[in-house]
Amino acid sequence: MKCSSYLFFAQDGVGGAERVMVTIAKLLAGKGSNIHFILIKNKNSKSTSLSTLIEGQFKYERIIWRGQIQLLKELYRGIKKNNPDVVFASAMHINQRLLLLKPFFSGCKFIVRNDNYLYTLSKLKRITLKYIYPKADAIIGQTEEMGEELRRIGISSDKINVVRNPIDTDMINEKLKAPSPFDSDDQSVKFIGCGRFSHQKGFDILVKAFSIVKQSIPGAKLYLLGNLEYGDGAVRKTVENIVKENNLNDSVICTGHIDNPFKYIKHANVFVLSSRWEGLPNVLLESEYIGTPSAATKCIPVIERMIKEGENGFLAESENPQSLAEAMIKAVNIPHFNTTEGENREEWEKLFEKVVG
């Protein structure tokens, strides 16, 4: 692969899209490329900064999103100052703004990755992407369905690349060396949910499902790992109310943000994905790599291809606590497993080789 300079534009948080960007940055840096991050922070955001994941590994600077025109000026200045060979972004609301600037930087390649499906956007935003996305040199979709959506809005197949999210197996393996977070004498059945407390992640559905699970497995515990104060904290309050109404205070543990969720997943009985929608859930890829059985909602088609029922987990209907509870109970009986899933570095290397040369 040609050694190049890359300028990564990322939301200043530690969500799935941002973690994917860090993994890609490590891959490219390992091939000799220079990576520089520009972190875009919403002025009122309380999220954990992405700098916690890249400090000491990559150079970065931060800009504050105070308004649309001001942001475009900051993005322009960032590209002009760093003069990269390649600009890369991984969130659709950032992608569209960067691509507006591409005509000013003819010698630079622009690669964007969709972090979600087009159908989750408003009609106006879909129309905007239809006319702006053709400016990109390459567009990455996480699933076959994402690729098909891009074709339907008129994007040339030559620019569409369907590549599953990479996971940082080296980092995961290192963090799995940590001791179990659970007491050695705690023999309870443990379920893990992981993600920010947002409506998307469906933790309200999960807690309702867990209250049903408790009828069959009285001593079970549910651990919810993630930013409790996401947004205005409304989802956290909803979850707390459901916990209280169902007398689950002693068996639902909300940890807040955890730097090492992998040790929780490894030592739990079941990982639970309760999402209402996803792009491609990194944490499900990671739990599969770790070898922990999953109970997952069929919120997007790819999950039905990832979960082989009875082997690595069970599926549930979306927005259905009863269905999710049944999947959770059945998944308890699946032992932890060994897998070779997770490594797809060659796919990503070939993609960048094709675009950058």
Side-chain angles (χ1 to χ4, degrees), residues 143-153 160 162:
T143 67
E144 291 83 352
E145 289 79 15
M146 279 192 185
E148 186 55 37
E149 277 190 326
L150 292 167
R151 293 184 188 94
R152 284 201 299 270
I153 65 170
I160 299 170
V162 175

Side-chain angles (χ1 to χ4, degrees), residues 161-318:
N161 302 267
V162 175
V163 188
R164 177 177 53 78
N165 292 350
I167 61 173
D168 190 343
T169 55
D170 292 338
M171 179 269 292
I172 293 173
N173 290 339
E174 185 63 30
K175 293 205 169 188
L176 288 178
K177 295 177 183 177
S180 171
F182 309 119
D183 292 337
S184 58
D185 58 352
D186 182 359
Q187 299 302 310
S188 63
V189 172
K190 302 173 187 67
F191 297 92
I192 298 289
C194 190
R196 63 188 181 276
F197 273 58
S198 67
H199 179 71
Q200 174 191 352
K201 300 303 180 182
F203 285 164
D204 54 325
I205 301 169
L206 175 49
V207 175
K208 290 175 182 177
F210 182 66
S211 70
I212 299 171
V213 170
K214 288 279 285 185
Q215 297 172 23
S216 298
I217 314 174
K221 292 181 181 178
L222 171 64
Y223 290 79
L224 298 178
L225 285 53
N227 181 4
L228 297 166
E229 302 304 327
Y230 180 82
D232 58 2
V235 170
R236 173 183 59 80
K237 294 173 186 174
T238 298
V239 168
E240 288 175 348
N241 288 337
I242 299 171
V243 167
K244 184 176 180 180
E245 290 166 4
N246 290 276
N247 298 313
L248 298 172
N249 299 74
D250 294 332
S251 53
V252 175
I253 299 94
C254 299
T255 67
H257 174 72
I258 293 290
D259 289 331
N260 185 359
F262 310 109
K263 64 181 180 180
Y264 282 83
I265 295 172
K266 175 183 178 180
H267 293 283
N269 297 86
V270 178
F271 167 75
V272 187
L273 183 85
S274 54
S275 299
R276 291 180 163 92
W277 72 88
E278 287 283 354
L280 177 60
N282 294 316
V283 70
L284 187 58
L285 293 170
E286 290 162 347
S287 66
E288 183 177 7
Y289 174 75
I290 293 169
T292 300
S294 299
T297 56
K298 296 184 284 187
C299 58
I300 52 173
V302 70
I303 291 176
E304 296 180 64
R305 300 193 291 271
M306 293 174 64
I307 299 294
K308 302 174 180 65
E309 291 204 296
E311 295 182 21
N312 63 351
F314 283 94
L315 295 163
E317 299 299 326
S318 297

Side-chain angles (χ1 to χ4, degrees), residues 100-169:
L100 286 172
L101 301 174
K102 189 176 188 303
F104 299 99
F105 301 98
S106 58
C108 179
K109 302 286 187 180
F110 280 63
I111 302 175
V112 297
R113 169 187 169 274
N114 269 16
D115 59 328
N116 220 317
Y117 292 87
L118 299 181
Y119 73 79
T120 65
L121 305 178
S122 68
K123 183 177 180 180
L124 177 59
K125 289 182 179 179
R126 291 198 300 272
I127 292 172
T128 301
L129 290 180
K130 176 179 179 178
Y131 290 101
I132 292 178
Y133 260 23
K135 299 178 184 294
D137 293 285
I139 306 168
I140 300 167
Q142 304 172 53
T143 67
E144 291 83 352
E145 289 79 15
M146 279 192 185
E148 186 55 37
E149 277 190 326
L150 292 167
R151 293 184 188 94
R152 284 201 299 270
I153 65 170
I155 306 299
S156 169
S157 294
D158 292 341
K159 291 190 175 186
I160 299 170
N161 302 267
V162 175
V163 188
R164 177 177 53 78
N165 292 350
I167 61 173
D168 190 343
T169 55

Side-chain angles (χ1 to χ4, degrees), residues 68-95:
Q68 300 293 347
I69 301 300
Q70 180 267 347
L71 178 63
L72 284 172
K73 290 179 179 179
E74 293 282 0
L75 297 178
Y76 176 87
R77 291 190 193 105
I79 301 172
K80 187 76 172 177
K81 181 179 74 172
N82 288 282
N83 190 29
D85 298 313
V86 182
V87 165
F88 178 61
S90 188
M92 288 186 284
H93 64 289
I94 297 175
N95 298 347

